[in-house]
Amino acid sequence: MKKLAASAIALIMVAACGGPSGGTGGAASQGIWATGSSTVFPFATRVAETFAQRQGGTAPRVESAGTGGGIAAFCAGVGAGTPDIANASRPMKASEFDTCVANGVDQILEIRIGSDGIVIATARNGADFDFQLEDLYLALAAQTPNGAAFQANPNTAWDQVRAGLPAQAITVYGPPPTSGTRDAFLELAMTPGAEAIPGLAALAESDEDRFETIAHTVREDGRWIDSGENDNAIVQTLTRTPGALGVFGYSFLEENMTSVKAASIRGVQPNATTIADGSYPLSRSLYIYVKISHLQTTPGLEGFVEEFLSDAAAGTDGYLADRGMIPLPADQLAAVRAAVRARTAMVRPS
């Protein structure tokens, strides 16, 4: 598999017809514009490059701003100066949907494009890890149980978390709060990890809001290090930082197998099979959100979405699978295409 080109990591800021003009009458003046998840970024970039080659002209503008940042820009309004697409490595939240509606973005296609896994990795020459989800909570949460109360996390080494883990300092490079990977890591790792601890499981039943705050608050004492939206930069950091671990999307592991390796979770290694069937605990879905009104006003947008969902791109043997995305089963992909053709708008998330 080819390494991600530098252009797939740097921001692509070229619009099909120049930058936003601020004019009226829709988004046509800016060309196709997608922004959001750093995990979806290399996939959207590949689709943009292929679309431009097949249609002629300049590639659509694709930005890596994090899922939260991308959705915020997407929900700011409709027409010129606003994105056509938000790339996301988690589903849109109800609060984000409400912001969209309040700003006139009330007809949205929610398009699941495939699956991905969140990996916890280290350098190829580093120690091997097999985590339980509670290990991740006890290592990375800001507060841990201390009898009936909570205390600042005292664990500084992995073998303090659980006997049998490597005797090395806890140092984890991960995505910032604006990242969908961070959101998914909290939901898929930290929350069930906390629920596996009896005292916290009881709190989840008695005070759900307090439980979520504790489970989702990552420590800020230097053991967890926010590393920006560029997952590839985390990969590079691991090769230069002995003993460090990193949290990022599976596709970046696939592109860097000669330099980093993944920890197993509950004895399961992340790979295309375990992510597709959900047996790997940190599996997740990837999305693009599209403004239905812009399908009429942004030239080429409908064709770009069709390219994203084509067999050549999203199929089992498509070029996005070559980039590390786990394709949807054929029946699910067909259902997604049908919903897009019918312009079936998403409903408010629960």
Side-chain angles (χ1 to χ4, degrees), residues 66-154:
T67 294
I71 291 178
F74 178 85
C75 290
V78 297
T82 67
D84 305 294
I85 297 172
N87 301 325
S89 55
R90 58 159 173 79
M92 182 181 286
K93 299 175 183 178
S95 59
E96 293 169 331
F97 182 86
D98 292 342
T99 298
C100 267
V101 171
N103 290 328
V105 188
D106 55 1
Q107 293 288 300
I108 304 168
L109 291 175
E110 180 181 60
I111 303 172
R112 185 181 173 207
I113 58 170
S115 300
D116 183 41
I118 299 172
V119 302
I120 304 166
T122 190
R124 291 293 305 178
N125 59 359
D128 292 325
F129 285 83
D130 180 16
F131 290 117
Q132 300 297 315
L133 292 177
E134 53 265 41
D135 298 337
L136 299 175
Y137 170 80
L138 291 171
L140 300 175
Q143 293 187 308
T144 57
N146 181 18
F150 289 89
Q151 63 183 350
N153 194 330

Side-chain angles (χ1 to χ4, degrees), residues 310-336:
S310 68
D311 285 337
T316 302
D317 298 317
Y319 56 75
L320 295 182
D322 289 340
R323 276 271 168 98
M325 190 182 80
I326 311 302
L328 296 176
D331 59 336
Q332 294 182 26
L333 181 57
V336 170

